[in-house]
Each structure stands twice: as C-alpha cells, then as structure tokens.
C-alpha cells in the first residue's frame, strides 16, 4: 500500500519582504502564521531602537492581532532590560491608544518601572477608561507609590461599578501607605482617614486591604483600638489580617486569633510558595513543628495554651527582621553571617534553623539559574550545600548533592 503524502507542506517565507523594520511590522498583518513568526524574530534582531516604530504603530492601530504581536516584541526588550527610560517616556502616550489591551499593557509597564513621570497621564486618563483598564491603572499608581495618586484612587473607588475596580483602588492605597511609612504629613493623615473609613465597607476584600494598609499607622492609638475591634469581623480573612497587623505591632492579642483560623482551610493554611500563615505564626511564637504537625490546629493551640504567656513577641520580631534582612542581602555571604550569628544567639530555635535551610536552598537555585555556570558559582554552591549538610546531618540526599557539587568543582582544577 502506498504511503500517504505529507500532511503539512514546508512553508516558504519571502525574507526579502522583511528587509526593513517597517516591512516586518507590516508582515505582522499577514494571515500567514509562519510569516508573522519570522517577522517577530526579525524585529527582535533589530534591537531596542525599533521600539520607536513599535510605539508609533500601537498609537494608531485598532488591529488586535497586530497589536498583540507588536506587544510581544516590545516585551522581549523590556524583559531583557534592553529598553531605557527614554523608551518608557515614548510609550506613556499609549494610555490613549485605540486598543484597550494596549492601554492595560502601558499601565502595567509604567508601574513596573515605578515611572513617576507617568503620574499625570495615569491620573488624567483613568476617568475615561473602561473599568478593566482602570484596574491596571490603579495597580500602576500603587507601585509608583506617591501621595499624589491618593485623590485619584479615592475617586476611582467611589466611582467604581465593578467590585474588581474598588478592590484594585483600595489595594493601591494600601501599597502607597506601606511604601510611605517613614513620612507623616497631612497627606498621610488623609490616607489613614480613608483606610479607617473603608473598614466599614460591605466588601470583605476592601476591608482586608484597609486593615493591611493600617499597618503603616499601627503606632496610632485610635488605629490600634480599631484593629482590636476588627478581630470580631464577620470575615475570617479580615480577622486574620487584623491579627497579623497587631502581632507585627507587638501585640500578642492577635496570635490566638491566627491560631484559631487554622481551623478554616484556605490557601494560607497550607504551604504555598513559602507565604503560608504558619511561617508568620512561627516567627511570632519563636517555635516551629515537624511538617506532619506544622499545619495542625490542635498542635498550635495546645502549645499556645501552655506557653503563650511566656512568648517574648518583641524579641521574636527582632529575629524575624534579621532573618528577612538575611534573605534580602546579596551576595549570599552577608546572609550566611547573619544566620551563623543567630544560630549562636538563638540556641535550638527551630524557626532560625528552618529559615537557614530555606535560605541555602534558595540561593543555590538562584546561582544555578545563571546563564553560564562558572567555577566561582560552583564554589559558592559548595559552601551553601555544606551548611545544609550541617543542618541536615541525617538526610542522605543532602550529602549526595554536596558530593555532586564537589565533584563538579574538582573538574575545574
């Protein structure tokens, strides 16, 4: 029996038709998918100077397919940090582009760059935008993080019809509050008043963000009293937020509430990218448990009943801050020095040891994610892995990994 012929013919691409950047941009309109792919690749090869032509295209185009392809090329340069602030200045005008998706992309980019120069355009254009675009503008205003954005975000909140827009506006106000904790002005007082007002909103997500934003004003007596009241909120998430802010303020009244919320399964009550509720509880209490009991309500509740009064929350918050400093420090030897000191001063502290192990593993992954692996990188991985072996002497896998690193290092000698 004869074999069937090929199902798909090999595409023929006229590369001469892509001989200039304008030709390649026009080719993105082609119904030929292979020609569009080739055009994207060629535009990326032109370099970041092509961004001016891409912006000019987006400023007038309502062609959704073309715009998505152009944005893909733009993202290539921004993700690789090849674009400059001058290029960003050019795209701010795209907040008025015909395509709403382009406006969303522009808002996200200005927020990613923390572009203060975009504030007038973001503030000036939001009232005429659809609410799904306003959500992205709100995020950008929060990331830029200046008090100049507060009035616009409050107006957006009050005008919102969709709950997502209200939630985005209050989340941005919270971000601004936390970013600006060092300054106390009439503007900060006004922001605090707005957050206090939103504690009475019917939307639990709005109340949640308002509580988290009040962390910036936790030393204020009226705020502290209101946070105590919010421990009785009907939403478990708002209760948990109030309890966390109180604990971070040095008030142990929030800790039993956090423990109690372990009875309600949620994304916070099991391990999720190391942002789980248990990590906070361990920091606050200065204690941790094996994985098989770490998320168990009864384990924590029984421990708190027996040991809660003796918990030195003020000291534990200092340890927490030092650990966070270690995780934020680069290069890794700074963090290693902090953890080594904590291992000496905080004898048998399971929280310090667990975070130390996490620190070593995170830094090894970070080093191995480099584009090229050099002898220096492997030598640094060996140092981190040796620490892990010291912390996990009974774990054969940890030792085997060290042996692999040492073998790799010896190959350079």
């Amino acid at each position: 029996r004869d074999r069937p012929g090929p199902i798909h013919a090999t595409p023929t691409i006229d590369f001469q038709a892509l001989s200039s950047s304008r030709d390649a941009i026009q080719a993105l309109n082609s119904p030929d998918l292979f020609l569009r792919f080739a055009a994207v690749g060629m535009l990326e090869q032109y370099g970041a100077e092509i961004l001016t032509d891409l912006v000019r295209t987006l400023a007038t185009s309502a062609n959704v397919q073309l715009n998505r392809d152009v944005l893909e090329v733009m993202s290539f340069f921004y993700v690789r940090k090849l674009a400059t602030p001058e290029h960003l200045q050019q795209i701010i005008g795209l907040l008025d582009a015909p395509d709403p998706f382009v406006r969303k992309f522009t808002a996200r980019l200005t927020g990613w760059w923390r572009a203060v120069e975009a504030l007038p355009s973001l503030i000036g254009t939001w009232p005429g935008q659809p609410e799904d675009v306003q959500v992205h503008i709100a995020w950008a205003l929060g990331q830029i993080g200046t008090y100049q954005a507060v009035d616009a975000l409050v107006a957006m909140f009050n005008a919102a019809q969709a709950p997502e827009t209200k939630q985005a506006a209050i989340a941005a106000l919270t971000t601004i509050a936390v970013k600006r904790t060092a300054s106390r002005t009439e503007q900060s007082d006004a922001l605090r008043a707005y957050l206090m007002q939103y504690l009475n909103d019917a939307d639990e997500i709005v109340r949640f963000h308002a509580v988290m934003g009040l962390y910036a004003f936790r030393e204020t007596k009226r705020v502290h009293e209101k946070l105590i009241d919010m421990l009785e909120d009907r939403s478990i998430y708002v209760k948990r937020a109030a309890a966390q802010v109180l604990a971070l303020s040095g008030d142990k009244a929030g800790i039993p509430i956090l423990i109690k919320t372990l009875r309600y399964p949620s994304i916070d009550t099991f391990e999720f990218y190391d942002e789980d509720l248990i990590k906070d509880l361990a920091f606050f209490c200065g204690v941790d448990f094996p994985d098989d009991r770490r998320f168990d309500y009864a384990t924590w509740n029984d421990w708190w009943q027996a040991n809660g009064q003796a918990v030195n929350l003020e000291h534990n918050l200092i340890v927490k801050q030092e650990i966070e400093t270690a995780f934020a420090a680069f290069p890794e030897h700074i963090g290693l020095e902090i953890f080594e000191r904590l291992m000496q001063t905080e004898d048998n502290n399971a929280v310090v040891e667990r975070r130390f192990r996490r620190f070593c593993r995170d830094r090894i992954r970070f080093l191995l994610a480099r584009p090229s692996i050099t002898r220096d990188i492997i030598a640094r991985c060996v140092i981190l892995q040796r620490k892990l072996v010291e912390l996990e002497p009974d774990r054969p896998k940890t030792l085997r990994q060290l042996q692999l690193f040492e073998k790799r290092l010896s190959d350079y000698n």
Side-chain angles (χ1 to χ4, degrees), residues 46 85 119 180 185 228 264 274 283 305 320 369 387 411:
Y46 276 107
L119 271 174
R180 307 287 293 184
T185 64
I228 294 290
Y264 302 90
D274 202 38
F283 273 135
Q305 296 300 322
K320 176 180 183 292
K387 293 298 179 185
D411 293 340

Side-chain angles (χ1 to χ4, degrees), residues 132-251:
D132 61 337
V133 178
Q134 290 181 18
V135 167
H136 296 273
I137 290 177
W139 178 85
L141 291 172
Q143 294 303 304
I144 295 169
T146 71
Y147 286 134
Q148 292 171 264
V150 169
D151 288 343
L153 288 166
V154 170
M156 188 186 298
F157 181 95
N158 293 334
Q161 299 296 315
E164 293 82 6
T165 312
K166 288 179 63 175
Q167 293 160 10
I170 181 63
L173 289 169
T174 291
T175 302
I176 292 172
V178 174
K179 282 177 178 287
R180 307 287 293 184
T181 53
S183 56
R184 286 289 176 266
T185 64
E186 290 185 9
Q187 292 173 308
S188 69
D189 291 342
L191 178 52
R192 180 186 63 196
Y194 286 126
L195 293 173
M196 293 284 281
Q197 173 186 334
Y198 297 147
L199 292 175
N200 300 315
D201 196 90
D203 188 331
E204 68 175 324
I205 298 177
V206 170
R207 299 198 305 278
F208 168 86
H209 284 297
V211 167
M212 297 304 289
L214 288 172
Y215 171 78
F217 308 99
R218 60 194 181 281
E219 76 283 356
T220 306
K221 181 180 178 183
R222 184 163 170 243
V223 169
H224 185 270
E225 292 173 347
K226 191 62 178 175
L227 289 171
I228 294 290
D229 292 341
M230 298 306 289
L231 293 176
E232 304 298 326
D233 193 90
R234 59 186 178 276
S235 166
I236 189 65
Y237 295 101
V238 177
K239 285 182 182 180
R240 185 179 293 162
Q244 285 176 313
V245 173
L246 284 168
L248 288 167
S249 307
D251 188 340

Side-chain angles (χ1 to χ4, degrees), residues 314-328:
E314 183 178 353
H315 174 78
N316 293 340
L317 289 174
I318 292 172
V319 174
K320 176 180 183 292
Q321 185 176 24
E322 292 205 56
I323 290 175
E324 290 172 347
T325 299
F327 269 83

Side-chain angles (χ1 to χ4, degrees), residues 252-411:
K252 292 199 289 186
I255 296 178
I257 300 298
L258 290 176
I259 292 173
K260 191 175 295 185
T261 63
L262 291 175
R263 297 180 301 174
Y264 302 90
S266 71
I267 202 70
D268 305 87
T269 54
F270 59 88
E271 190 163 1
F272 182 71
Y273 296 106
D274 202 38
E275 295 297 330
D276 52 90
L277 174 63
I278 299 302
K279 187 182 74 172
D280 287 335
L281 270 177
F283 273 135
F284 297 149
C285 296
V287 67
D288 212 333
F289 302 100
D291 288 342
D292 60 344
R293 293 188 296 132
R294 194 168 184 250
F295 296 87
D296 179 52
Y297 162 72
T299 297
W300 281 97
N301 189 56
D302 291 347
W303 183 91
W304 179 258
Q305 296 300 322
N307 303 281
Q309 288 187 344
V311 167
N312 186 343
L313 179 56
E314 183 178 353
H315 174 78
N316 293 340
L317 289 174
I318 292 172
V319 174
K320 176 180 183 292
Q321 185 176 24
E322 292 205 56
I323 290 175
E324 290 172 347
T325 299
F327 269 83
F330 288 89
E332 66 277 356
H333 73 82
I334 300 173
L336 284 171
E337 291 171 2
I338 293 174
F339 273 111
E340 291 285 9
R341 176 169 48 77
L342 288 174
M343 291 291 287
Q344 296 295 321
T345 59
E346 304 296 315
D347 191 34
N348 295 322
N349 188 322
V351 180
V352 173
E353 184 176 323
R354 179 183 286 269
R355 302 310 299 165
F356 196 1
R357 295 199 303 269
R358 180 62 180 250
F359 172 84
C360 292
R361 288 197 167 90
D362 281 358
R363 289 308 170 90
I364 289 172
R365 293 188 190 103
F366 173 79
L367 290 170
L368 295 179
R370 301 290 181 88
S372 60
I373 306 299
T374 63
R375 184 189 187 285
D376 175 66
I377 287 177
I378 297 299
R380 291 159 69 182
C381 288
V382 166
I383 292 172
L384 290 162
Q385 192 69 29
R386 283 175 181 165
K387 293 298 179 185
L388 275 173
V389 170
E390 292 176 15
L391 295 166
E392 301 174 338
D394 299 325
R395 195 161 186 248
K397 183 178 179 180
T398 306
L399 179 59
R400 287 197 302 272
Q401 187 65 55
L402 174 59
Q403 292 167 344
L404 288 172
F405 281 132
E406 290 177 332
K407 172 62 171 63
R408 180 75 179 274
L409 185 61
S410 68
D411 293 340

